[in-house]
Amino acid sequence: MKTVRRILMGLSVSALCAVSAQAETITLDAMHAWPGHNPFYEKVAQAFTKENPDIIVRFRASPPSYDEAHQAVLRSMMTGQLPDVYFSGFHLLPELVHALQRRKQAVDLKSFIDKEQGQWLETNYEPSVLKLAQVQGTQYGLAFNASTPVIFYNADLVKKAGGDPDAFPTDWPSLVALAAKIAKTSEGINGMAYDVHAWPDDWLWRALIMEQGAPIMNPDGKTVAFSGQSGLHALQKARNFVTDGAMALRDFDQSRQQFVSGKLGFIFASPNSAKAFSELIGSRFALRSSVFPLENKQSGKVPTGGNAMMILAKDQQRQEAAWKFIKFATGPVGQTAAVLGSGYMPTNKLALQPEYLGDFYKKNPNWETSLKQIAYASPWGGYPGNNGVQIWRTQRDIIGSVMRGKITPQDGLAQMVEATNALLAK
């Protein structure tokens, strides 16, 4: 009898251990930038856990920009406290990968992708979207958010200024001229906002170079290519926004507040502003959106902002869990939740089908504008080396001085080129 009892007790313990093993959950440590984006990240994570109850996603406190998130991850790498999943800004991905490679911590996604069935990769992602998260041809991430700069405009002010809200200008001279007319409609009204002088990263600056069909870097990869006409023209245009376009030099958030209050004609922003603007404006005025103007209609490009999901976990089990989360978040269900919660472009082809976002876009044209620029969207490349964040902060100060009229565009360009090339050489 004692022997039987021991056997039964042994079976009970084994059974309990088996149940415990099945019930064991993995909690992924994840990190993204922009605290205001927390709600839609949480929504995606919750939907993922509902389908994968054995994996929970917990987000670290969100740094206020891609640049600051990048700095935080580099510090975490030094202290051995990297998150399991990281959403890296596209422009900083190469710099981060190179830093991880030096410590043999960069995770190539090829082995995970190769295990997927059939044409999974081709079915879900366009080649151009895959390239956004590649470094020297290797897939180190999958794009989660994607955006190209667009214009949001107050259709009521445009009409009041004599413009046609249904035929918004798509060239720079007409845009600036319209901004000047809008500013004259009422006291306290500004024409436009192109906040490159206060933007947290170099997205809008690169846009002014790339829309001319010009490169950012020289072929040697050591010096900038905007030391000539393209850079000068970009700075002259930025100054022109202030002198002729009735632009007030405010910070990033103040311009948005001015726009939603109905005191600004149009603003250049990320398409992820579609949701926030719609909710904040309500019925105060008619909100519309338009594409980014290209000076060079043949070869002009716009930089694709956003981020890529990377695996930074070291443990194989956690890597497998992280891969499941990445697949879901960049899949049609995850992208539908992300887009509806933000306004970003979807990065998954299947998400454009009617049952996901297709019908929604037909009913909400302001959200669709960025999709119209896919044909000339280009990767938002970073600078080689480890000084990308410092480079932009240095450039931004100089651009601000030019826009305020403290220095000429010619002097500003000379300072930008000298400072940037010096930081690239470090």
Side-chain angles (χ1 to χ4, degrees), residues 148-213:
T148 51
V150 299
I151 305 172
F152 290 95
Y153 61 95
N154 183 325
D156 295 353
L157 283 179
V158 169
K159 190 173 183 178
K160 190 175 181 180
D164 182 357
D166 296 323
F168 195 76
T170 57
D171 65 276
W172 291 107
S174 299
L175 273 172
V176 173
L178 175 60
K181 291 177 182 177
I182 289 172
K184 294 177 182 177
T185 58
S186 301
E187 187 72 26
I189 300 294
N190 291 123
M192 63 178 290
Y194 192 97
D195 297 312
V196 61
H197 66 290
W199 208 260
D201 47 55
D202 71 354
W203 192 46
L204 288 183
W205 166 248
R206 286 181 180 254
L208 288 179
I209 300 294
M210 294 169 65
E211 60 94 12
Q212 301 178 57

Side-chain angles (χ1 to χ4, degrees), residues 91 102 166 177 204 206 247 266 268 294 392 407:
H91 63 306
R102 288 194 292 272
D166 296 323
L204 288 183
R206 286 181 180 254
M247 173 180 167
F266 56 90
F268 288 77
L294 298 182
W392 170 238
I407 56 176

Side-chain angles (χ1 to χ4, degrees), residues 119-134:
Q119 300 296 306
W120 173 81
L121 195 68
E122 295 80 1
T123 300
N124 284 274
Y125 312 100
E126 294 285 359
S128 58
V129 171
L130 291 172
K131 286 181 181 177
L132 295 172
Q134 292 175 359

Side-chain angles (χ1 to χ4, degrees), residues 190-354:
N190 291 123
M192 63 178 290
Y194 192 97
D195 297 312
V196 61
H197 66 290
W199 208 260
D201 47 55
D202 71 354
W203 192 46
L204 288 183
W205 166 248
R206 286 181 180 254
L208 288 179
I209 300 294
M210 294 169 65
E211 60 94 12
Q212 301 178 57
I216 301 295
M217 293 293 296
N218 284 315
D220 63 6
K222 297 179 180 178
T223 54
V224 293
F226 54 77
S227 58
Q229 187 58 37
S230 65
L232 180 60
H233 194 43
L235 286 175
Q236 289 171 333
K237 192 175 290 179
R239 175 59 178 157
N240 186 241
F241 296 157
V242 178
T243 58
D244 295 357
M247 173 180 167
L249 290 163
R250 299 185 176 90
D251 70 25
F252 177 69
D253 289 324
Q254 288 174 335
S255 282
R256 292 168 64 86
Q257 292 166 8
Q258 193 79 355
F259 180 67
V260 300
S261 68
K263 298 179 180 179
L264 180 61
F266 56 90
I267 184 170
F268 288 77
S270 166
N272 72 6
S273 297
K275 178 178 172 63
F277 283 164
S278 297
E279 292 174 350
L280 291 169
I281 292 166
S283 59
R284 190 178 296 118
F285 60 83
L287 173 68
R288 305 280 285 276
S289 63
S290 182
V291 297
F292 193 94
L294 298 182
E295 186 163 313
N296 188 325
K297 302 295 185 184
Q298 285 71 45
S299 59
K301 303 290 184 183
V302 287
T304 306
N307 62 59
M309 297 180 71
M310 304 174 68
I311 296 176
L312 302 187
K314 297 178 184 178
D315 173 78
Q316 185 176 352
Q317 188 180 19
R318 302 186 77 76
Q319 287 186 354
E320 294 288 348
W323 174 243
K324 285 184 179 180
F325 180 43
I326 289 176
K327 279 199 303 178
F328 179 87
T330 64
V333 176
Q335 281 299 289
T336 299
V339 170
L340 294 180
S342 65
Y344 276 113
M345 294 162 53
T347 59
N348 186 286
K349 289 195 289 186
L350 299 179
L352 291 172
Q353 294 181 354

